[in-house]
Amino acid sequence: MSSILNAVDQRTRLVGENRLELLMFRLGSRSAFAINVFKVKEVISVPALRTMPGAHSNLSGVTVYRGVTIPVIDLRQAIKIRGNAGDRYPQNVIITEYNRSVQGFLIGEVLSIVNTSWEQIVPPPKSIGKANYLTAITQREIRGENTLVEIIDVEKVLAEIIHYDANISKALLEDDITGHLHGKTVLVVDDSATARRQIKDTLCQLGINIIERQNGAQALALLKQWVAQGRNVDDEILMMFTDAEMPEMDGYRLTAEIRNDSELQHLYIALNTSLSGSFNDAMVEKVGCNRFISKFQPDMLVDVVQQRMREVLDAMG
């Protein structure tokens, strides 16, 4: 229990400071890649894998991890990276927790863990197109060399293996509420195009319009632009869904900035993240989000917008 409490304390200290920790590694090539340490449970040697007939080509097999059978994905193959001849790959497996599920990723050499700022992490250039598997890039010194580090869009990798279903449970819909949702607008802030599409595919079924931004800095700039133009933010959008991890400005810092702005502080904010560790409730409470949802749960998304709409209607009398 003490280790859990220490993890909570360590991570809540980063909230509002726009910082993160990255696990950096290679994929059997000279390129360096990274994912957020928050999502990493453990790094282990490559275990014995059992192949599954008819499985997705990116799935190397399954293994038993702490008494539970989990899938193991070849990350290099999934993001279409070629290794160098003679490189030993794979060397390790990263055990991660995304969207309330545990999975392993085959990787090569583990480089290091670095504590850095989201301000030093930027979106990938638009010139690389939409077929890439990156959410962001950064520059780090690795073994004396200034190296480009590519942060992987794991949600896209998983979505290509596990089909997501955006269908809404009809029993969940409240007719006296859903009729008012048609034509309303929701701001969705996420660096993963896959995650934004999942929310859009869900909420558009209710006639909700979606405004998309790729990180907290872009979203905050839009909100402040509306205020500068004399527009009431509550008239523009019903609410905002924001991811936690984003380049330039993360969702926690975005929420903190909004809560500290008298013109924006009443905006309804739901944190929608693939982070599902025990520290999330502490983070949400600290920065002042209204709701927390772990990805991807269509019914929960609908529940949140219905709740928000109900609050608006009640306030109108």
Side-chain angles (χ1 to χ4, degrees):
M1 179 62 72
S2 61
S3 63
I4 294 176
L5 294 176
N6 289 338
V8 171
D9 184 59
Q10 175 187 352
R11 285 157 174 79
T12 53
R13 282 200 299 267
L14 299 180
V15 175
E17 297 179 7
N18 210 39
R19 300 193 67 82
L20 78 158
E21 293 173 316
L22 290 175
L23 173 66
M24 300 191 301
F25 53 89
R26 299 196 194 276
L27 292 174
S29 67
R30 288 193 56 81
S31 299
F33 300 89
I35 64 173
N36 196 320
V37 170
F38 285 9
K39 295 174 179 175
V40 177
K41 297 174 70 69
E42 193 172 356
V43 179
I44 62 175
S45 299
V46 179
L49 298 176
R50 188 176 70 230
T51 58
M52 303 293 289
H56 192 281
S57 60
N58 293 337
L59 187 65
S60 294
V62 298
T63 191
V64 177
Y65 171 75
R66 300 191 182 278
V68 178
T69 301
I70 64 169
V72 177
I73 297 159
D74 187 330
L75 190 53
R76 182 171 76 179
Q77 180 171 310
I79 67 172
K80 301 175 176 58
I81 295 293
R82 294 182 178 180
N84 294 330
D87 281 344
R88 188 163 65 88
Y89 176 88
Q91 294 177 244
N92 300 282
V93 171
I94 301 177
I95 306 296
T96 66
E97 185 173 359
Y98 281 83
N99 302 350
R100 310 175 316 283
S101 67
V102 177
Q103 56 284 130
F105 291 99
L106 293 175
I107 63 165
E109 177 190 12
V110 173
L111 297 171
S112 65
I113 293 176
V114 295
N115 186 308
T116 186
S117 167
W118 279 112
E119 294 170 350
Q120 297 178 356
I121 296 172
V122 298
K126 293 181 179 180
S127 58
I128 67 175
K130 295 182 178 180
N132 72 87
Y133 289 82
L134 307 180
T135 59
I137 57 176
T138 188
Q139 293 278 346
R140 303 296 305 184
E141 183 174 313
I142 300 177
R143 295 171 182 167
E145 294 184 6
N146 190 30
T147 304
L148 179 69
V149 179
E150 305 174 48
I151 301 173
I152 296 173
D153 186 349
V154 178
E155 292 171 38
K156 181 176 180 178
V157 171
L158 293 175
E160 292 184 351
I161 298 173
I162 306 168
H163 174 72
Y164 70 85
D165 185 358
N167 289 325
I168 302 168
S169 300
K170 300 302 181 185
L172 177 70
L173 300 178
E174 302 176 30
D175 293 340
D176 58 329
I177 299 296
T178 55
H180 293 279
L181 289 172
H182 190 85
K184 295 295 182 182
T185 300
V186 167
L187 175 60
V188 176
V189 190
D190 201 303
D191 59 333
S192 170
T194 297
R196 296 196 304 272
R197 185 172 65 252
Q198 289 172 339
I199 297 178
K200 187 173 183 178
D201 288 348
T202 301
L203 299 186
C204 282
Q205 297 175 63
L206 303 177
I208 294 175
N209 301 314
I210 303 296
I211 297 176
E212 300 180 36
R213 290 296 183 269
Q214 295 179 11
N215 59 57
Q218 292 180 3
L220 187 62
L222 174 65
L223 297 171
K224 287 184 175 292
Q225 177 186 339
W226 285 342
V227 170
Q229 294 171 344
R231 298 157 72 178
N232 188 322
V233 171
D234 288 334
D235 292 337
E236 300 296 327
I237 55 175
L238 177 67
M239 60 171 295
M240 178 179 77
F241 286 102
T242 180
D243 188 21
E245 307 169 84
M246 296 177 289
E248 298 187 41
M249 181 185 291
D250 66 23
Y252 304 120
R253 179 64 174 271
L254 169 61
T255 302
E257 292 286 342
I258 289 171
R259 294 296 182 238
N260 289 328
D261 189 314
S262 60
E263 299 288 344
L264 302 173
Q265 61 185 1
H266 298 299
L267 178 63
Y268 191 98
I269 303 172
L271 187 71
N272 182 52
T273 174
S274 56
L275 291 169
S276 48
S278 59
F279 51 84
N280 267 312
D281 289 340
M283 286 181 160
V284 169
E285 181 179 355
K286 182 170 183 177
V287 299
C289 292
N290 298 92
R291 288 283 297 271
F292 162 74
I293 313 169
S294 58
K295 298 174 181 176
F296 165 64
Q297 301 183 80
D299 283 355
M300 285 294 292
L301 293 171
V302 173
D303 179 66
V304 170
V305 295
Q306 286 190 147
Q307 175 186 325
R308 174 55 180 158
M309 190 72 251
R310 188 181 302 110
E311 291 178 0
V312 172
L313 294 173
D314 289 346
M316 294 171 58

